[in-house]
Each structure stands twice: as C-alpha cells, then as structure tokens.
Amino acid sequence: MKTVFKELFKFKTQIFIIFLTVAGNVFCTLSLPNYLSEIVDFGIPNNDTNFILRTGGIMLMLALSGMLCNIITGFYAARISMNLGKIFRNVIFKKIQNFSLEEFDKFSTSSLITRTNNDVTQIQNFIVMFLRVILMAPIMCIGGILMAFSKDSTMSSIIFLSIPVLIILIFLISKKAIPLSTIMQKKIDHVNLVMREKLTGIRVMRAFVTEEHETKRFRKASFDLMDNSLRMQRAIALMEPSLMLVLNATVVCLLWIGGLHIQSGEIMAGDIIAIIQYVMQIMISVTMMSIIFVMYPRAAASASRIDEVINTRPKILEIENPKTSSDIKGYIEFKNVSFCFSSAKHPAVKNISFKANPGETTAIIGSTGSGKSALIKLILRFYDATEGEVLVDGINVKDYSKHALREKIGYVPQKALLFKGSIEKNISMGDKNANLERIKTAAAISQSLDFINKKEDKFNSTISQGGANVSGGQRQRLAIARAIVRKPEIYIFDDSFSALDFKTEASLRDALSRETKEATVIIVAQRVSTIMTADRIIVLDKGQAVGIGRHEELLKKCEVYREIVHSQLSKEEVGA
C-alpha cells in the first residue's frame, strides 16, 4: 500500500479540504444533541414557542451545514479515488507496453486484465471509505467522549464497557472475514481465465461439442468465487446486528441509569437524550473504523498485485544511448546464437549462425517445436539471445531502441491478428502516414483487393475484434498488406501463407518478389513449395541448424530436409 499512499499524497490540497469539511461536519453533528437537550429541558416545560423555534432553527442550520460538508467530503473523496484509479490504470498499461514476451509468460492475460480493472477498483473503493471515515471517525469518537463526559461522567463511563465488547466482536468477525477477502482476487482471476478461454475458443468448443464440459468448468469457477464471497459477506453481515445489539444494550443501560438519576434530581431529561446521542455517535465511529480494517486486507492484496506489475523489471530494457543509423541497410546476421526460455531446461535455439542480405530470401523450415518462431522473435527483440549476437545492419539488436529496430521490420505473425475498425485503419497500422492509394497498392500486392472490392463499403468496411468476420486466409492477406504498406528494410513472414490456397499463394509470392526485390525477406514456412525458390534455406531440428543452403544442395546433403520434402512432394515434383 506504500505506492497507493505515495500517490495519495499528491492530492494534499484536496485532502486538506476534506479535513476542513470533516471538521465542520463533526462540529455540526456534535452540536445538535446540545441544542436538543435545551429544547427538552427549557423550551418544552415552559411552553416557550419562540425559544423552541429559535433553537430549532439553529439545529436546522447545523443539520444543513453538516449535510453540505458531507456532500463536499464525498465529492472530493470520490474525485481523488477516481483520479488514483486513472493514474494506476495508465501506469499499469504503460508498464505492460514495455513488457517482453517473458513477462507476458509470467503474468497471464486474465490476471493482467484483473489487475488493471478489478484490483484498481478495490483500491478506489478503499480510498473513498478511507478519506471519508479515517478522518471523521477518530475526531467524532474523541469529540463524542468529551461532550458526553461534560454532561455526566458517571453515565458516560458506560462507554468504557461497551466499546471493548464492540471491539472484541469486530475482531472475531474480522478474523474470519479477512483471510477470505485476501484470496478473493485469485478467485476472480480464475473466473476471468475460464471466461476468456470460453469466448476465444468458442469455435473449437462447438466443433468438438464441448459446450457442456466448458459450462461445467465455468460453473465450478463461478460457484467457487460465489462460495468464497458468501462466506466473507456472511461474516461481515454479522457486524451490523452485533453493533445494534451492543448499541441498544448500551442505550437500555443509559435509560435505566438515567431514570434513577432523574428521580434523585442529579440529571435532567435533555442531558440523558444528549448523552445517548453522543454514545451512539461514538460507537458508530468505532464501527466505521472497523469497516476500514475489514476492507484493508483486500485492498492491500490488490495493491500488492498492482505493485508486482509496476515493480517488475522487464528483461528487455532500452539502453541509454541507442544506435539508430547505419551505412548498410537490410543486413541480418546471427553469430553463434543460442536462446533458452526461462522456464525451459533445454535451449529452444542452439548455436545458430547465418547471414541474410538485401535482395535475398532466407527461408526457415523444420518440424513443429524446432525453434523457427523463437529464432524470428530474436530479430524483433521480443526475446534477447542467451548467447551470441543478433545483428541488424551490422549493429547488435540490443544497441537499438526497440522502436527504431522494429521500424526497420515489416512483421507478419504466425497468428494473423486484426483490430476492431475499418480495413483501411487495419492496413494503415503499418504506416500511419500512408495515403489511400498506397493502402490500395499494398492490398493489391497481398491479393486482398478482390475480396475488399466485393464488400459494400470497400476499405471502410468494418473488421470485428480479432478479425472474426473475415476468413483465415483474408486475415493473413490483410496482415501481409499491413507489413507491405510500411515499406520496411526487412520483411518477416512467420508461417503467414498457411491459410492460403496454392493459386493465391503463388500469385502473392510473385507480387511480393517484385515489391521486395531490394529488401531482405525471411520466411518461416511448413510448405516446401513456399520456400523452394529461396536463396537460402535454414533447416532446423531440435533448435539446431542441421542444414543451410539452396533447395537442390539440401536435397543432396541434408537428411532432415530430404524427409520433409519427400513427405510433401512426389518424386516428379522434387525432380529426383
């Protein structure tokens, strides 16, 4: 919670206003019983209407002033908490933007969503209560005790019996509720995880008829959260009847003792009413403070989860004096590069060395899990090489700023992802300054123009979230257009033609070869037909390069490549 209170201190002016309005509210609240006792003792017995109206008017003004102070307190408390929420959400979002894939592997997507939304909301709720209660309750409690004792110290001493009983009850209730509140966020994490998988995997679920299984899985996670919430709320719900029990018992005792004192003439009826009011305010203040202590563990757990994200040091950091230019353009070199995932025992890529030059196409092929995508991600610096160097234009990728490095690259990921918006906006993400003519050219090269022109709104047609309203092949072609419109030095296609039919792929590769003739092209592919004409083919097996060369060379000297080729092509197609 240190981070929360540190940020809270930035609003010291508004907190000072809250302090003043709280003090005004306390003054008005504590003054009211005094005037009420005067009406009961002096106004009513003497039937003094003017006195009653005058004192009643003062009481009305105090009540209205207290209400106004309470409104101002609530306004500024809400404003501060909302601003804190905005600050934390922005900080978390900016921090996540700087995370490498390793940090995303550490924090699940569902957990990051929960931390950004629900955890921040818990902090906001706590801060609102904290600002409204933590200042008012102690002042009200101390002021109430002083005012009650000024009326009658004998009767008021019953407070010292009631408050310990109330504190013990609150402690017992909190002891049961606090452990349940601390694990609440993890339960919400799990519900979000299951819900996200259910929504993103809806097609797979329906294809394999697993709706009932997934429904049971979600119901279990939901009931688990509900059960935890119910147990916590049941414990907290005991607080109000406990308060009322102690409060009413205290009032009964005060009335009994007060009745005896009135008979003996030691106290007046108005003073008894005032003392009862003060005692009630004291005990309500104690209860309000106890609510803060019940809320604190959950807010502290949320703050800890937020701190965990904010204080996470990304594995890939910007250097102080990055290099941004070089005399050569489009050159890639791997020098004895090895890479191992943090959670893995064996390296994903081991001792890889090769060069890729402008005007050349370098293809990477291998079995599933051989390290093809991992190799690509080292160029983009989504991960950093464990050993060796990855050079772009003769400069180590670690010496670039991440922005400058990725500006050089047009990347089409293995899973083509589109964003909610128009087709034009999705393609122009590659270059915000691209005009419509350039966007149309990129669409034509990627073989997207035909299906775009068939749509009613052409390039203004809406793409739904994730590109769910277009086919897999159309998504891939739009993602390729997004890379082409950038006109980068380096093109990277990570298995980006898998959803295309052979005719469309052939047309696309032919158009690409003309567009990228001066650029460096790296293609990761499963189809041999896609990479047969490449200037250089790297064959990966268990993270190692078991062969580098042209198609004809590898057929003769690389057993792994030969097996891949013969598994996909006939002898006539192979030419052997």
Side-chain angles (χ1 to χ4, degrees):
M1 290 292 284
K2 287 182 181 178
T3 307
V4 175
F5 289 118
K6 185 179 177 182
E7 290 294 330
L8 189 61
F9 185 72
K10 293 179 181 178
F11 300 93
K12 50 184 177 290
T13 303
Q14 295 178 52
I15 291 173
F16 180 69
I17 293 172
I18 290 174
F19 177 79
L20 291 178
T21 55
V22 162
N25 187 23
V26 170
F27 171 77
C28 294
T29 305
L30 293 179
S31 299
L32 283 169
N34 238 356
Y35 287 102
L36 180 62
S37 68
E38 288 181 10
I39 290 175
V40 172
D41 288 336
F42 304 110
I44 294 174
N46 300 322
N47 198 21
D48 191 342
T49 305
N50 289 331
F51 179 81
I52 294 172
L53 290 174
R54 185 171 62 252
T55 308
I58 294 171
M59 290 178 67
L60 182 61
M61 291 300 296
L62 286 171
L64 291 173
S65 299
M67 182 184 73
L68 181 63
C69 289
N70 210 15
I71 290 171
I72 295 171
T73 301
F75 172 78
Y76 279 103
R79 190 171 182 174
I80 291 170
S81 69
M82 292 303 108
N83 279 322
L84 272 179
K86 181 188 72 174
I87 289 168
F88 279 119
R89 286 190 180 95
N90 286 339
V91 169
I92 294 169
F93 185 79
K94 287 179 181 178
K95 189 71 176 186
I96 291 171
Q97 294 302 302
N98 292 319
F99 277 177
S100 68
L101 294 185
E102 195 163 336
E103 280 76 55
F104 282 105
D105 294 339
K106 176 184 174 183
F107 298 103
S108 68
T109 304
S110 58
S111 180
L112 287 173
I113 291 170
T114 305
R115 291 169 200 246
T116 308
N117 293 317
N118 192 275
D119 282 324
V120 173
T121 301
Q122 295 304 320
I123 299 287
Q124 288 177 313
N125 293 340
F126 174 76
I127 291 298
V128 168
M129 287 297 295
F130 178 82
L131 290 174
R132 297 190 68 174
V133 171
I134 206 68
L135 292 175
M136 184 173 71
I139 299 173
M140 186 75 79
C141 187
I142 294 167
I145 291 172
L146 294 175
M147 293 296 288
F149 271 81
S150 69
K151 292 291 182 183
D152 188 284
S153 57
T154 306
M155 281 187 64
S156 300
S157 59
I158 197 171
I159 296 169
F160 297 112
L161 294 175
S162 301
I163 290 179
V165 173
L166 188 62
I167 290 172
I168 289 169
L169 286 171
I170 291 169
F171 172 77
L172 293 173
I173 293 167
S174 301
K175 189 178 179 181
K176 187 177 180 181
I178 286 172
L180 294 169
S181 69
T182 54
I183 62 172
M184 183 69 74
Q185 300 311 111
K186 291 182 179 178
K187 302 287 185 184
I188 295 171
D189 266 358
H190 186 58
V191 170
N192 282 345
L193 173 66
V194 175
M195 189 64 183
R196 188 171 180 274
E197 287 181 347
K198 187 176 177 67
L199 293 175
T200 55
I202 189 69
R203 290 179 177 83
V204 177
M205 285 167 47
R206 288 175 178 173
F208 288 92
V209 198
T210 60
E211 292 99 325
E212 188 176 347
H213 169 75
E214 291 300 324
T215 301
K216 287 179 180 177
R217 185 167 165 244
F218 179 76
R219 189 182 292 122
K220 183 179 182 301
S222 184
F223 270 82
D224 193 25
L225 174 62
M226 184 192 73
D227 181 59
N228 190 85
S229 299
L230 283 174
R231 284 190 290 153
M232 184 185 76
Q233 292 302 329
R234 284 191 195 110
I236 294 173
L238 290 172
M239 195 170 291
E240 186 176 350
S242 300
L243 164 68
M244 296 309 297
L245 177 66
V246 177
L247 188 61
N248 290 327
T250 305
V251 169
V252 169
C253 291
L254 286 171
L255 289 172
W256 178 59
I257 296 169
L260 296 176
H261 283 202
I262 288 175
Q263 286 180 347
S264 61
E266 297 175 21
I267 194 170
M268 300 181 74
D271 288 338
I272 294 176
I273 292 172
I275 290 170
I276 289 172
Q277 292 293 315
Y278 290 134
V279 169
M280 289 178 69
Q281 288 164 4
I282 291 164
M283 298 185 73
I284 288 171
S285 298
V286 172
T287 306
M288 288 168 67
M289 290 178 69
S290 70
I291 292 171
I292 289 293
F293 292 122
V294 171
M295 290 180 68
Y296 178 80
R298 190 174 180 187
S302 293
S304 177
R305 284 157 55 86
I306 290 169
D307 280 343
E308 193 179 358
V309 175
I310 294 172
N311 297 328
T312 295
R313 184 179 172 83
K315 295 287 184 183
I316 297 175
L317 298 169
E318 299 280 11
I319 62 171
E320 291 184 5
N321 299 305
K323 298 177 181 178
T324 56
S325 61
S326 174
D327 294 334
I328 56 176
K329 302 292 181 184
Y331 288 84
I332 295 175
E333 183 177 0
F334 276 61
K335 289 184 176 180
N336 302 315
V337 171
S338 296
F339 169 70
C340 184
F341 291 102
S342 58
S343 58
K345 295 180 180 178
H346 303 289
V349 171
K350 187 176 181 182
N351 199 29
I352 302 290
S353 296
F354 70 89
K355 292 181 181 179
N357 304 313
E360 294 181 350
T361 297
T362 300
I364 303 171
I365 196 168
S367 59
T368 303
S370 58
K372 302 186 296 297
S373 293
L375 196 69
I376 292 302
K377 287 167 183 173
L378 296 178
I379 302 173
L380 289 151
R381 212 186 170 203
F382 290 159
Y383 294 103
D384 272 341
T386 310
E387 296 176 13
E389 289 183 305
V390 180
L391 306 177
V392 172
D393 295 343
I395 299 172
N396 194 316
V397 292
K398 296 179 182 178
D399 294 330
Y400 282 103
S401 71
K402 287 181 280 188
H403 178 76
L405 172 65
R406 291 164 189 167
E407 277 286 310
K408 294 174 175 286
I409 300 168
Y411 173 56
V412 185
Q414 193 170 15
K415 183 181 178 181
L417 179 67
L418 301 179
F419 297 87
K420 186 174 176 62
S422 67
I423 291 175
E424 182 183 347
K425 286 184 178 179
N426 268 277
I427 295 176
S428 66
M429 283 186 71
D431 185 352
K432 296 293 183 185
N433 299 318
N435 57 31
L436 184 57
E437 195 60 39
R438 193 163 141 203
I439 290 169
K440 286 181 177 179
T441 302
I445 294 168
S446 67
Q447 309 302 302
S448 306
L449 207 53
D450 286 346
F451 79 81
I452 292 173
N453 285 332
K454 288 177 183 177
K455 291 182 176 292
E456 185 178 348
D457 296 323
K458 305 289 192 296
F459 282 86
N460 290 321
S461 299
T462 302
I463 296 292
S464 63
Q465 185 179 359
N469 62 336
V470 291
S471 69
Q474 289 171 343
R475 275 200 301 273
Q476 283 193 339
R477 281 179 277 172
L478 290 173
I480 291 167
R482 185 169 58 199
I484 292 170
V485 81
R486 172 170 278 189
K487 292 189 176 294
E489 300 172 17
I490 300 162
Y491 287 87
I492 296 178
F493 301 98
D494 188 0
D495 201 12
S496 307
F497 310 108
S498 58
L500 305 180
D501 60 84
F502 287 102
K503 182 182 177 182
T504 304
E505 183 186 346
S507 301
L508 195 154
R509 283 194 286 115
D510 182 56
L512 267 178
S513 64
R514 293 192 296 272
E515 174 68 19
T516 63
K517 60 185 177 182
E518 294 180 1
T520 304
V521 179
I522 295 181
I523 299 175
V524 174
Q526 298 286 354
R527 293 178 186 170
V528 173
S529 59
T530 303
I531 52 98
M532 283 175 64
T533 58
D535 300 288
R536 183 181 302 99
I537 300 172
I538 301 169
V539 185
L540 293 182
D541 185 41
K542 297 179 181 178
Q544 293 183 298
V546 294
I548 298 178
R550 286 181 174 273
H551 171 71
E552 296 78 10
E553 297 171 12
L554 292 171
L555 275 175
K556 294 175 182 178
K557 64 181 183 181
C558 182
E559 180 64 29
V560 174
Y561 185 73
R562 197 157 47 242
E563 288 176 1
I564 293 171
V565 171
H566 286 301
S567 69
Q568 296 184 24
L569 304 176
S570 65
K571 288 185 178 182
E572 291 77 15
E573 290 173 311
V574 173

